[in-house]
Amino acid sequence: MESKDKTALIKYRLEQAKIAAENAELLINHKAFNAAVNRIYYSIFNSINALALKYEFKTSKHQQLIGWFNKTFIKEGKIDAKYGKILKKAYEARSESDYGEFGDITMEEARDLFEDMKDFLTIIGQFI
């Protein structure tokens, strides 16, 4: 991929992360907590996708992208382990709310995840 195309795609993924974060906030304000958790996770996912592009890692699989992030940034000590925990928590909450039989996310859980997401996006931004 040409450098110009790569830069444009990274910018696009970061914009997707920003839009998902804005949508999450709106959903929390409208008490749609399960939907908010979905958007929180995808905000984080899109930011990691942008990071992966910068570091020449490509995959369409969520688990592979998460594994790459954990190996490259958490295990190597480049990013604090708490961000790996935030990612895991967001992934699990999204999976439970989207696919679980009783995926009821509370307002407190959604708000906590939202604050964690904002912190996560800030850290990822420092590496892009």
Side-chain angles (χ1 to χ4, degrees):
M1 180 181 305
E2 284 187 37
S3 180
K4 185 174 116 177
D5 293 340
K6 181 176 145 181
T7 301
L9 188 52
I10 289 169
K11 185 176 178 183
Y12 174 73
R13 294 285 184 225
L14 291 173
E15 183 63 22
Q16 286 183 309
K18 180 182 171 197
I19 290 168
E22 291 168 353
N23 289 339
E25 186 171 28
L26 287 171
L27 289 163
I28 288 170
N29 291 338
H30 286 89
K31 299 181 180 11
F33 306 124
N34 285 358
V37 165
N38 176 286
R39 297 292 79 209
I40 288 166
Y41 169 72
Y42 277 99
S43 179
I44 291 171
F45 176 79
N46 282 315
S47 73
I48 296 172
N49 223 329
L51 183 69
L53 284 164
K54 179 174 173 66
Y55 288 85
E56 307 289 336
F57 180 79
K58 295 178 186 175
T59 183
S60 61
K61 308 272 189 229
H62 288 243
Q63 288 295 336
Q64 286 178 348
L65 185 64
I66 290 168
W68 169 82
F69 174 76
N70 284 327
K71 180 181 176 197
T72 306
F73 290 91
I74 302 301
K75 288 190 171 130
E76 295 290 324
K78 295 175 187 170
I79 293 179
D80 190 279
K82 81 175 189 174
Y83 295 99
K85 292 175 185 165
I86 289 170
L87 173 56
K88 182 179 179 188
K89 187 173 155 186
Y91 178 80
E92 289 173 351
R94 192 276 306 194
S95 295
E96 180 61 29
S97 70
D98 284 357
Y99 307 116
E101 292 182 26
F102 298 104
D104 291 327
I105 303 296
T106 67
M107 178 173 57
E108 184 178 343
E109 288 170 325
R111 286 189 175 156
D112 287 349
L113 275 172
F114 183 76
E115 292 304 316
D116 286 345
M117 174 209 66
K118 290 193 305 186
D119 188 20
F120 194 97
L121 295 179
T122 299
I123 288 297
I124 296 302
Q126 294 174 8
F127 283 84
I128 294 182

